[in-house]
């Protein structure tokens, strides 16, 4: 029992794993693991490289931040010294000492000045600043209110219009009776020089920004950003708010920039100020070399797999492709109508035998069914397209002919006309004479219309109920109007009694429409136009022919009257 089950499962597995599948799987099992291991190793190397580059640059950035703090500390020390001198020596003496005390080893301090309580500069290391009014500056007010050292945001100097930063320290912090404030102008170019070692690295950018997010300093290769708001700097706007609103001394975050690159942002606050040093690392550019190696590895993997697959396919050509081509050829012959096409099973491998038997059986059944369907379809086509009462084409048959003649008229740029014919007061006829007589009446009208269609090379049909139609290819409206009068006269000449009609005989109303078919029209518009003309004919008293557009009416004598 176990052996039977095992053999059955073996047969099923053999059917599932064909020759091509087996060769491909074997090749992939041998090659793919080696290539995937190489890719995994390169991916690990990339992650390690990103971590090392980030750590190295953040150490440099930390050193730069420490240097910036030292600059701020030196400015604070100078202002406190000047404030102490002002508190102990008075305005005159302190100004003399101030002018002589600005050290040359602090080139980032552009000038030092002492201002009165209302912000009027009393003395300065630069004479041009004496008498300057700075009482409206935010940093000045903040120093007076807090009685502590204050560092300003990015601003422009009032004497030279150059960008700078200002630092202020109130003398009241030392002597509460003194209301003067010591102010220093900071050269922000020196702040950028301190950041020089942060520049020139692909994929890495660093900026010093104030509390409002304006760029104060940047490395030499990024100085174009100085003075710009952080949210207007490409790739920085996404993190501007978070970096500036954080109260933490340091922080970092990762995000995907608008250009799709993965970025890591680190920011460090400069103590004594509201400024922050922001460092951005583009992981894609930092790891560009390793990424190229990884792409090469993937390409190699793809090429190796491709060659292996090609080898497997070539090896399986005789076992698989040739039999498939034989069966495909038989299927094409059968599809083209050769019902005798059969697959010779003795030329196929055993795996294709069930398929060949199924194909031959299917071909035999389809051939028999096709013969039956053709005969049935011929009968149904006739039944579906002909109105059995009048012997004319029914609405479906008429619509098919209209579509055909419409395309033909477009192709040869010829006129196409249509008349819609309605039996006048036919409901009264049925009510008076009965439905059998009504059917007989429609039969006679169909015979008459068929004769006229044969004479005029037209196509007649019963559109529905007591309404008929006559399609006239290669016929303009004027000729169609004359044929319409021929139809009206012929029906009148049948002299079928109709005592409830004002004419005492069966009459018809006819609407005629003609057009030169083009791409902007559709066949339905011709039917609508002929229907509109038929409606007009009924309103003109019936037993009338009316052309659409010109609204011409033809009386019983055949004279055309203007509508």
């Amino acid at each position: 029992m176990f052996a039977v089950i095992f053999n059955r499962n073996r047969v099923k597995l053999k059917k599932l794993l064909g020759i091509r599948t087996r060769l491909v799987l074997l090749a992939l099992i041998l090659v793919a693991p080696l290539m995937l291991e190489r890719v995994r190793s390169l991916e690990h190397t990339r992650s390690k490289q990103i971590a090392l580059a980030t750590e190295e640059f953040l150490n440099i950035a930390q050193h730069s931040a420490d240097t910036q703090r030292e600059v701020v500390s030196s400015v604070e020390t100078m202002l406190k010294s000047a404030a102490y001198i002002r508190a102990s020596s008075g305005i005159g003496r302190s100004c003399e000492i101030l002018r002589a005390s600005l050290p040359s080893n602090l080139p980032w301090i552009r000038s030092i000045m002492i201002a009165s309580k209302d912000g009027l500069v009393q003395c300065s290391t630069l004479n041009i600043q004496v008498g300057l009014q700075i009482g409206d500056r935010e940093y000045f007010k903040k120093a007076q209110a807090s009685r502590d050292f204050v560092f300003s945001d990015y601003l422009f100097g009032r004497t030279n219009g150059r960008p700078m930063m200002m630092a202020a320290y109130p003398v009241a912090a030392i002597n509460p009776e003194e209301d003067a404030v010591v102010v220093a102008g900071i050269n922000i170019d020196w702040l950028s020089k301190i950041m020089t070692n942060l520049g020139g690295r692909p994929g890495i950018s660093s900026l010093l920004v104030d509390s409002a997010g304006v760029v104060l300093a940047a490395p030499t290769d990024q100085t174009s950003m100085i003075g710009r708001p952080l949210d207007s700097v490409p790739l920085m706007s996404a993190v501007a708010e978070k970096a500036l609103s954080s109260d933490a001394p340091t922080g970092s975050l990762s995000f995907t920039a608008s250009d799709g690159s993965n970025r890591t942002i680190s920011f460090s606050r400069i103590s004594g100020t509201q400024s922050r040093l922001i460092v951005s690392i583009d992981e894609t550019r930092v790891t560009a070399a390793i990424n190229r190696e990884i792409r090469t590895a993937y390409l190699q993997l793809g090429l190796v797999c491709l060659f292996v697959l090609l080898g497997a396919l070539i090896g399986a050509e005789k076992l698989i492709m040739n039999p498939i081509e034989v069966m495909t050829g038989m299927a094409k012959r059968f599809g083209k109508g050769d019902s005798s096409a059969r697959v010779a099973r003795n030329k196929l491998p055993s795996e294709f035998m069930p398929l060949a038997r199924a194909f031959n059986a299917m071909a035999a059944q389809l051939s028999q069914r096709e013969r039956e369907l053709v005969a049935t379809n011929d009968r149904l086509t006739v039944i579906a397209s002909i109105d059995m009462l009048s012997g004319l084409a029914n609405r479906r048959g008429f619509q098919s002919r209209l579509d055909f003649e419409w395309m033909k008229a477009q192709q040869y740029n010829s006129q196409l006309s249509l008349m819609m014919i309605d039996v006048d007061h036919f409901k009264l006829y049925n009510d008076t004479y009965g439905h059998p007589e009504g059917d007989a009446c429609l039969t006679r009208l169909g015979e008459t219309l068929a004769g006229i269609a044969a004479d005029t090379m037209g196509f007649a049909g019963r559109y529905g109920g007591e309404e008929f139609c006559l399609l006239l290819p290669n016929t303009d409206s004027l000729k169609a109007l004359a044929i319409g009068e021929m139809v009206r006269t012929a029906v009148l000449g049948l002299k079928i009694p109709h005592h409830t009609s004002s004419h005492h005989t069966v009459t018809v109303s006819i609407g005629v429409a003609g057009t030169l078919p083009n791409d902007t029209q559709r066949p339905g518009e011709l039917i609508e136009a002929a229907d509109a003309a038929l409606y007009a004919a009924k309103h003109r008293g019936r037993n009338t022919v009316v052309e659409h557009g010109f609204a011409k009416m033809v009386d019983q004598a055949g004279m055309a009257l203007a509508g």
Side-chain angles (χ1 to χ4, degrees):
M1 182 65 183
F2 177 77
V4 174
I5 295 175
F6 176 78
N7 288 331
R8 288 179 179 175
N9 292 336
R10 184 179 178 182
V11 172
K12 292 180 180 178
L13 183 61
K14 188 175 181 180
K15 291 180 178 179
L16 180 64
L17 298 177
I19 297 174
R20 179 185 292 175
T21 305
R22 295 174 194 175
L23 291 176
V24 169
L25 288 177
L26 178 61
L28 293 179
I29 288 172
L30 292 175
V31 176
L34 297 177
M35 299 303 299
L36 291 176
E37 173 59 25
R38 184 185 175 194
V39 172
R40 187 202 65 78
S41 176
L42 291 173
E43 291 282 1
H44 176 72
T45 303
R46 176 170 62 179
S47 301
K48 188 176 180 180
Q49 184 173 336
I50 292 174
L52 291 175
T54 302
E55 182 179 359
E56 176 190 1
F57 194 75
L58 289 181
N59 289 335
I60 298 174
Q62 184 63 42
H63 175 72
S64 179
D66 292 339
T67 305
Q68 300 281 10
R69 293 188 185 97
E70 292 176 6
V71 169
V72 173
S73 178
S74 67
V75 174
E76 183 178 3
T77 300
M78 283 297 302
L79 291 187
K80 287 183 177 179
S81 298
Y84 181 80
I85 295 172
R86 174 66 177 82
S88 59
S89 304
I91 182 64
R93 178 62 178 163
S94 62
C95 284
E96 293 177 3
I97 296 174
L98 180 66
R99 292 189 185 96
S101 62
L102 183 60
S104 60
N105 62 343
L106 300 179
W108 47 83
I109 300 179
R110 179 175 293 175
S111 65
I112 298 179
M113 48 188 151
I114 299 176
S116 62
K117 178 181 180 180
D118 58 358
L120 182 66
V121 177
Q122 298 172 333
C123 62
S124 172
T125 56
L126 295 177
N127 291 332
I128 193 173
Q129 294 177 338
V130 177
L132 191 66
Q133 177 57 250
I134 60 174
D136 59 335
R137 293 288 199 181
E138 188 65 30
Y139 68 88
F140 188 85
K141 297 177 182 178
K142 188 174 181 181
Q144 287 181 319
S146 64
R147 291 195 174 188
D148 199 358
F149 177 73
V150 172
F151 221 76
S152 77
D153 285 336
Y154 183 90
L155 51 79
F156 292 93
R158 287 184 172 170
T159 57
N160 56 15
R162 296 178 62 185
M164 57 168 42
M165 296 177 69
M166 302 296 292
Y169 186 78
V171 180
I174 299 174
N175 184 356
E177 296 181 0
E178 294 288 344
D179 54 9
V181 178
V182 183
V183 180
I186 310 301
N187 186 347
I188 63 174
D189 294 339
W190 270 93
L191 300 180
S192 295
K193 290 180 180 179
I194 295 172
M195 300 174 63
T196 301
N197 59 346
L198 296 176
R201 296 167 181 259
I204 297 177
S205 60
S206 55
L207 303 171
L208 181 67
V209 299
D210 62 16
S211 61
V214 178
V215 178
L216 301 173
T220 306
D221 57 343
Q222 301 170 28
T223 53
S224 61
M225 299 182 183
I226 296 176
R228 295 171 58 186
L230 189 62
D231 56 8
S232 69
V233 176
L235 308 178
M236 288 289 192
S237 58
V239 296
E241 182 178 354
K242 186 169 184 178
L244 296 175
S245 62
S246 175
D247 294 329
T250 60
S252 64
L253 62 139
S254 299
F255 69 101
T256 301
S258 57
D259 62 353
S261 61
N262 295 322
R263 286 186 168 262
T264 300
I265 295 290
S266 297
F267 54 90
S268 178
R269 193 168 183 173
I270 308 301
S271 60
T273 72
Q274 294 295 318
S275 303
R276 291 169 176 81
L277 180 65
I278 299 179
V279 177
S280 170
I281 300 177
D282 183 349
E283 297 180 3
T284 303
R285 296 187 63 187
V286 169
T287 60
I290 192 69
N291 285 339
R292 284 194 296 271
E293 293 184 19
I294 292 175
R295 285 195 296 270
T296 301
Y298 278 120
L299 179 61
Q300 290 174 346
L301 174 61
L303 290 176
V304 170
C305 291
L306 178 61
F307 287 133
V308 170
L309 292 177
L310 287 176
L313 292 176
I314 293 173
E317 178 72 21
K318 292 185 178 180
L319 296 174
I320 296 177
M321 299 308 298
N322 288 343
I324 290 178
E325 289 177 358
V326 170
M327 298 193 66
T328 302
M330 291 298 109
K332 288 182 178 179
R333 284 178 54 191
F334 188 80
K336 291 179 179 179
D338 185 0
S339 58
S340 63
R342 298 292 185 272
V343 178
R345 291 178 292 178
N346 58 342
K347 296 181 179 181
L348 298 177
S350 59
E351 291 182 342
F352 286 88
M353 294 298 290
L355 182 59
R357 286 195 295 268
F359 175 84
N360 290 340
M362 177 193 69
Q365 293 178 2
L366 287 177
S367 297
Q368 178 61 28
R369 187 170 299 178
E370 183 180 7
R371 288 191 293 269
E372 295 173 355
L373 287 177
V374 169
T376 303
N377 190 56
D378 290 341
R379 291 194 299 271
L380 291 177
T381 300
V382 173
I383 295 173
S385 301
I386 295 180
D387 175 55
M388 303 308 293
L389 180 64
S390 63
L392 303 176
N394 59 15
R395 186 166 183 170
R396 178 179 176 182
F398 164 75
Q399 187 65 53
S400 298
R401 185 60 177 263
L402 173 61
D403 293 338
F404 170 76
E405 295 294 346
W406 185 274
M407 289 187 294
K408 184 178 177 182
Q410 279 187 293
Q411 182 179 0
Y412 293 101
N413 194 32
S414 59
Q415 294 279 342
L416 182 64
S417 295
L418 172 67
M419 64 177 66
M420 300 300 290
I421 306 163
D422 188 76
V423 182
D424 296 329
H425 304 297
F426 190 70
K427 185 178 183 303
L428 291 176
Y429 187 92
N430 274 335
D431 293 342
T432 303
Y433 300 99
H435 287 281
E437 286 297 323
D439 291 346
C441 175
L442 294 178
T443 300
R444 292 188 64 188
L445 292 178
E447 293 171 351
T448 301
L449 196 58
I452 295 175
D455 294 339
T456 60
M457 303 300 291
F459 182 81
R462 183 183 176 191
Y463 199 71
E466 68 274 17
E467 191 171 2
F468 295 85
C469 53
L470 180 59
L471 186 63
L472 300 169
N474 200 24
T475 303
D476 58 19
S477 299
L478 188 61
K479 185 176 179 181
L481 196 64
I483 295 173
E485 176 59 23
M486 183 190 305
V487 172
R488 187 193 69 80
T489 304
V491 172
L492 196 64
L494 294 176
K495 297 182 180 181
I496 302 174
H498 188 356
H499 297 298
T500 53
S501 168
S502 58
H503 298 282
H504 300 291
T505 186
V506 171
T507 60
V508 292
S509 298
I510 302 173
V512 178
T515 186
L516 184 66
N518 57 64
D519 292 336
T520 63
Q521 297 177 330
R522 55 184 179 83
E525 294 177 5
L526 183 61
I527 296 176
E528 293 172 0
D531 265 336
L534 175 61
Y535 182 79
K538 290 182 179 181
H539 271 265
R540 294 184 186 277
R542 293 182 169 83
N543 191 27
T544 306
V545 181
V546 173
E547 178 190 357
H548 179 265
F550 299 101
K552 295 179 179 178
M553 181 175 68
V554 181
D555 61 6
Q556 294 181 357
M559 180 180 294
L561 302 176

